[in-house]
Amino acid sequence: MRFPYKFAYVEIPPEPPQFMMNATVDSNVGAGNDGKSGSNNKKKKLSVTGLAFLLFFSISGGAYGLEDTISTGRPLLTLLFIAVIMPFLFALPNALMVAELGTAMPTNGGYVAWVRNAFGPFMAFQTACMTVLNAVMDLSLYAVMFSDYLATMLITITGGDPLTAVSKPLIRSAVTIVVATINLFGVDILEKVQYLFSVIIISPFVCLLVMGARHMKPEQLLDLPSPESFTIDKIGIFISVVMW
């Protein structure tokens, strides 16, 4: 199928025949009269709640790692960038772009397919490689953050740092292996584990909010960094962490 899209023709793969679509959706295909043996042919799907939690972990996963924004940009600037400026300046244009291109090119390739249609297969290959590299570099940060938070918690409890230079890499490797193994079991197990992880991740913020509410000083929310302290280096750290 070819159709004009903003002065360019976009190749859309044809839809599969109707009998193929029925074969993947119908749970009784290949079953006997009772239809039980075909129940395993059902396509596994995420529920709306599971999809919402998946998006939460893909986009945010909690306010972990934002400490540098408070120390460099202070509370008011951090709130303005995270809640007002970045959503409209960065997130909304990206969401509109994805909605428009995803509707115009309904394929499973995502932005790799968009780049292929616009710039050809070579640039699409580069995009796919950079996407994999970005995922490897970004996802490795979470294992490092986990070990750092664990070390901070143990220092607070025991008064010393029990994690050595050998134990930290082992903990990071274990976290990576556990998370990767969970993903290998498919969407059914992943959806259930997401609920557990959500409780574990969000509960510290709920506890801090409840325990610290009586100590909160609202005037501190209006605190801004001084021009002398908000140097170029700190501005770079602040912007990079906010965008991340």
Side-chain angles (χ1 to χ4, degrees), residues 22-50:
N22 293 337
T24 58
V25 176
D26 190 356
S27 61
N28 293 327
V29 172
N33 294 330
D34 57 357
K36 292 181 180 179
S37 62
S39 59
N40 292 330
N41 291 332
K42 281 186 176 180
K43 293 180 68 176
K44 295 181 179 180
K45 296 181 179 179
L46 281 172
S47 64
V48 176
T49 307

Side-chain angles (χ1 to χ4, degrees), residues 24-236:
T24 58
V25 176
D26 190 356
S27 61
N28 293 327
V29 172
N33 294 330
D34 57 357
K36 292 181 180 179
S37 62
S39 59
N40 292 330
N41 291 332
K42 281 186 176 180
K43 293 180 68 176
K44 295 181 179 180
K45 296 181 179 179
L46 281 172
S47 64
V48 176
T49 307
L51 179 61
F53 278 101
L54 180 62
L55 292 174
F56 168 72
F57 282 109
S58 299
I59 298 172
S60 172
Y64 297 97
L66 293 179
E67 294 85 355
D68 287 336
T69 61
I70 301 297
S71 60
T72 56
R74 311 306 298 163
L76 181 59
L77 202 59
T78 301
L79 289 174
L80 285 176
F81 267 81
I82 292 179
V84 180
I85 297 176
M86 295 307 295
F88 289 98
L89 188 66
F90 182 76
L92 182 60
N94 275 275
L96 294 176
M97 177 194 67
V98 171
E100 183 176 3
L101 292 176
T103 304
M105 289 175 273
T107 64
N108 291 329
Y111 40 79
V112 176
W114 307 340
V115 172
R116 180 184 178 87
N117 277 278
F119 302 106
F122 177 76
M123 291 307 301
F125 177 77
Q126 300 299 319
T127 302
C129 291
M130 287 187 285
T131 301
V132 173
L133 180 62
N134 174 72
V136 171
M137 299 298 292
D138 181 60
L139 295 178
S140 63
L141 294 176
Y142 300 103
V144 175
M145 288 173 57
F146 177 83
S147 63
D148 290 343
Y149 279 116
L150 180 62
T152 302
M153 183 181 69
L154 293 177
I155 290 173
T156 304
I157 295 174
T158 63
D161 188 2
L163 299 183
T164 63
V166 177
S167 60
K168 282 186 177 182
L170 292 177
I171 292 173
R172 295 164 184 171
S173 300
V175 171
T176 304
I177 293 171
V178 169
V179 174
T181 304
I182 292 172
N183 281 272
L184 294 177
F185 282 99
V187 295
D188 291 339
I189 301 298
L190 180 62
E191 182 175 356
K192 294 180 176 62
V193 173
Q194 281 183 150
Y195 300 145
L196 175 63
F197 281 177
S198 300
V199 174
I200 295 174
I201 288 174
I202 297 176
S203 56
F205 296 100
V206 176
C207 294
L208 287 173
L209 181 63
V210 173
M211 296 172 61
R214 61 191 182 92
H215 301 289
M216 186 177 67
K217 298 178 181 179
E219 63 273 10
Q220 290 183 346
L221 295 176
L222 303 177
D223 189 13
L224 283 169
S226 62
E228 296 80 13
S229 62
F230 205 43
T231 59
I232 296 296
D233 294 339
K234 291 187 176 181
I235 292 175

